[in-house]
Amino acid sequence: MSVPNHIAIIMDGNGRWAKKRGLPRLMGHNAGMKSLKEIVRACSDMGVRYLTVYAFSTENWKRPDDEVSGIFKIMVLYIKKELAELKSENVRIQVIGEWEKIPKDARESMEFALRETAENTGLQFQIALNYGGRREILDAVKELYRRTEKEGGDIDSIREEDIERYLSTAGSPDPDMIIRTGGELRLSNFMLWQCAYSELIFRDVYWPDFDKKELESCIAEFEQRHRRYGGL
């Protein structure tokens, strides 16, 4: 099986998975972290070069305070438990979004993970934290405008590549495939610039039930798509 170079995933359905079982929503997020571990390992084993996951959006702050704080505590626990294995598997962790605004313990945990895996050359595991696609584009345009003003550049000479240079994903290729679990059929402000030619694959399965077999099914569907990029 040939694999996409870059897979992005909207990990949706944790809360509904828990509700279906009569459990607190945080139990769903905890179960979702177990699925994440399996998918990271599967992507690494398959030879996927980039994996980006939507972990916490700019809109997720609207959720109840106890759920938000619980999500970040689970995230800290995930890094603590899985970092050694990620290092041994040559996985490099990266973070996109305005993640400097997340709680201090989660931020410090991520900073440590970034340092510990900085030299790894295998799977590039990008975690979108406090991320929003519109905000990312807006911030990139603002930074490009500042540079153009400072350097006295011609605004008419600005190219798409110039904007891409200031996105939080600068240096990584656009996703070949974006998977959304949980049955919803939308992107929810995820990688709006980068998704221009991504193949979109939606699954009804909740994220905690998404496993290697489901991933392989998505890749098989991807292989059947004909990517023409506007051509014939």
Side-chain angles (χ1 to χ4, degrees):
M1 174 185 293
S2 60
V3 298
N5 187 47
H6 185 175
I7 296 174
I9 305 178
I10 301 172
M11 306 180 293
D12 193 24
N14 290 332
R16 284 173 287 159
W17 180 92
K19 182 178 179 180
K20 183 178 179 181
R21 290 161 175 77
L23 300 170
R25 287 178 58 86
L26 280 177
M27 293 295 290
H29 293 297
N30 189 60
M33 285 297 178
K34 295 177 182 178
S35 292
L36 179 59
K37 176 181 178 179
E38 179 174 353
I39 297 307
V40 172
R41 182 187 295 120
C43 286
S44 180
D45 291 344
M46 290 178 184
V48 175
R49 292 296 301 146
Y50 296 85
L51 171 66
T52 302
V53 298
Y54 205 7
F56 193 87
S57 75
T58 51
E59 290 76 29
N60 286 155
W61 295 107
K62 300 174 185 177
R63 296 187 178 188
D65 290 345
D66 59 341
E67 182 174 350
V68 170
S69 61
I71 288 172
F72 286 114
K73 288 177 182 177
I74 291 171
M75 196 176 300
V76 170
L77 183 61
Y78 172 82
I79 294 297
K80 183 177 181 180
K81 291 176 61 177
E82 308 303 332
L83 184 57
E85 181 175 339
L86 291 170
K87 286 177 64 177
S88 68
E89 292 294 325
N90 199 28
V91 173
R92 181 184 181 190
I93 298 175
Q94 296 175 294
V95 185
I96 63 174
E98 297 180 291
W99 63 284
E100 68 279 358
K101 297 181 180 179
I102 67 176
K104 183 180 178 181
D105 56 344
R107 186 179 68 251
E108 291 178 346
S109 178
M110 282 297 168
E111 289 171 347
F112 180 71
L114 292 176
R115 291 195 300 271
E116 289 293 297
T117 64
E119 302 302 319
N120 290 353
T121 58
L123 174 69
Q124 306 295 290
F125 176 31
Q126 298 186 138
I127 304 172
L129 281 175
N130 195 28
Y131 174 89
R134 288 183 175 181
R135 176 68 62 82
E136 178 187 34
I137 295 170
L138 177 61
D139 288 345
V141 170
K142 285 181 178 179
E143 190 59 36
L144 180 57
Y145 177 79
R146 294 188 191 101
R147 191 208 69 176
T148 304
E149 284 270 285
K150 181 179 180 180
E151 299 179 0
D154 179 8
I155 195 169
D156 291 326
S157 68
I158 293 174
R159 304 166 300 165
E160 289 184 8
E161 292 81 0
D162 296 315
I163 295 177
E164 290 172 351
R165 192 174 300 120
Y166 292 100
L167 297 174
S168 59
T169 55
S172 63
D174 293 342
D176 300 292
M177 171 173 72
I178 297 179
I179 301 167
R180 179 168 187 152
T181 63
E184 304 291 357
L185 307 179
R186 56 178 177 267
L187 288 173
S188 296
N189 203 17
F190 183 55
M191 303 193 89
L192 299 182
W193 178 281
Q194 300 87 341
C195 76
Y197 286 101
S198 302
E199 296 296 326
L200 307 181
I201 296 179
F202 300 98
R203 288 289 186 266
D204 287 332
V205 62
Y206 295 138
W207 175 246
D209 291 327
F210 191 87
D211 55 16
K212 182 179 179 180
K213 184 177 179 180
E214 290 284 349
L215 177 63
E216 290 173 341
S217 172
C218 292
I219 293 174
E221 181 176 338
F222 171 82
E223 289 180 320
Q224 299 303 311
R225 306 278 182 94
H226 299 285
R227 307 182 76 199
R228 295 183 291 274
Y229 299 97
L232 299 179

